[in-house]
Structure formats: C-alpha cells, structure tokens
Amino acid sequence: MIFINDKRTILKEVFRKSIHLCSAFVPLLLKYAYWPVTIAFGLIVTLYLISECLRLKGIHLPLISLVTETAARKNDDGKIVLGPVTLVFGIFIASFLLPLEYARVGIYSLAFGDGLASLVGRMFGKTKLPYGEGKSFIGSLACFCAVFCSTFIVSGSAEVSLLVAYVTMVVEVLPLGDFDNLIIPVSMGFWFMLLCKWFGLS
C-alpha cells in the first residue's frame, strides 16, 4: 500500500532519487577518466547554476529548467534548487580527499542509502520517527539495508558493513536538508576507511 495520494509528488520523488541512484556510476567513471569526468561535471554544475539564476528571473533554458521544475519540491519554490549542486560537490569532495576505494563506499551510501530511504519512506512510511522531520522507520530501514549490501559487496566484511550502514542511517535521519548530499559521502568514506584500517582490511 502506498501512503502518498498525490501521484505528482511520488513521481517527483522517483525522478529526484533516480538522479541519486545514477550517481553510483560516478566512481566507475572516475576510475578510468578522473580529470575529464571532474571537468565535465564542473561545467555541468556551472551551467546548472546559470540556468537556475535565469529561471528565477523568468528565463527558462531548454531541458535544464525542465529537469529542475520536474524535480523541485514545493519548498523549493522561488529559490535555487541546490540538491544537484550539493550532490555533485559531495561526490567530488569525497573522491578528492579519499582514495577512490574508500570514497566509493561513501558515494554508494549517498546513492543507495539516502536515495532509497527517501523514496521508500515517502511511498510506504506510515510510522514516522520522533524528531525525524517526517522521516519514517521503513525509510531508515531501507537506508540501512541498501548501505549494508553495497558496503558488503565492496568490503566483504559483515562487521564493517553493519557499522557503515548503522552510522549512515543515523546521519540520514538528521535534519540536514540538501546538505546531506555533502556530508554523507565524505563522512561515510572516512568512516569506512577508518574501519578498514581497524579491522585490517587495507
């Protein structure tokens, strides 16, 4: 049973989180073409910000403004939608500060954990978490499971995967807004690196 009656709302969320899920491919792209991919995303973010500034003035660029308007939530009305910007910056800060083998777990935590938490929570989240600003128990459970699975595939360690999944779930519940896109990949990448060294996986 889906607990959202507004089909437009759920379609927006599916569209938004499909972007999150697609970001899971970025570590693979960075592995084979780090600087070309970094430069390309830098240009995309610059073009996006220009488009957003123009959109607020009533000037719409083809495709880019359409993507923004499709993904924007009601509380994004009248302001620049920062989600895509923080998403890109979070991924590339993690990949710049950390070896890619560790950064990719942080990026997967964002792509799968945060992405599925929001999507599953909005579709099926009847039981809300206290002080979670509308976030749900089942959304957090989806986050935990997704991060555990993706981390286990990378590390092969159940202990490390459980600890990464648990901390990601806790961070995802915090009222960070779009800035969770910055915090999750960097902090979980560092956390994974520390755990790997602690458990002797590196």
Side-chain angles (χ1 to χ4, degrees):
M1 178 178 181
I2 295 178
F3 294 100
I4 289 185
N5 295 321
D6 187 348
K7 290 184 179 180
R8 291 187 62 188
T9 300
I10 197 60
L11 288 174
K12 279 181 178 288
E13 203 60 29
V14 168
F15 184 78
R16 286 174 65 96
K17 296 311 171 181
S18 67
I19 298 173
H20 267 68
L21 293 172
C22 287
S23 67
F25 292 104
V26 175
L28 180 63
L29 297 175
L30 291 173
K31 181 179 179 180
Y32 293 104
Y34 183 89
W35 286 112
V37 171
T38 301
I39 292 169
F41 273 91
L43 293 173
I44 291 170
V45 167
T46 301
L47 181 60
Y48 172 80
L49 287 172
I50 292 171
S51 172
E52 279 295 271
C53 292
L54 292 174
R55 183 179 65 85
L56 293 181
K57 294 182 178 181
I59 303 170
H60 296 269
L61 294 183
L63 185 60
I64 300 176
S65 295
L66 177 61
V67 169
T68 303
E69 291 167 0
T70 302
R73 293 169 176 162
K74 289 182 179 180
N75 58 1
D76 291 324
D77 290 346
K79 60 183 180 181
I80 292 176
V81 180
L82 287 175
V85 178
T86 56
L87 179 71
V88 170
F89 274 110
I91 289 171
F92 283 96
I93 289 172
S95 65
F96 180 77
L97 295 177
L98 295 164
L100 192 55
E101 61 188 292
Y102 302 122
R104 65 175 174 161
V105 166
I107 295 168
Y108 293 160
S109 296
L110 176 66
F112 300 121
D114 182 59
L116 291 177
S118 180
L119 187 57
V120 173
R122 285 177 179 271
M123 291 179 68
F124 305 105
K126 187 175 183 180
T127 304
K128 303 300 181 182
L129 293 171
Y131 311 108
E133 294 194 345
K135 296 183 179 180
S136 66
F137 173 79
I138 195 168
S140 292
L141 182 61
C143 174
F144 181 91
C145 293
V147 175
F148 175 83
C149 291
S150 60
T151 305
F152 185 77
I153 290 171
V154 174
S155 68
S157 169
E159 295 89 345
V160 168
S161 301
L162 283 169
L163 290 169
V164 172
Y166 176 75
V167 175
T168 303
M169 180 182 68
V170 171
V171 173
E172 196 278 329
V173 170
L174 298 175
L176 301 173
D178 286 328
F179 290 99
D180 61 356
N181 293 340
L182 285 172
I183 294 169
I184 289 176
V186 178
S187 61
M188 292 307 103
F190 270 110
W191 178 229
F192 176 65
M193 182 175 68
L194 292 174
L195 289 172
C196 285
K197 294 183 183 301
W198 180 264
F199 285 92
L201 299 181
S202 58

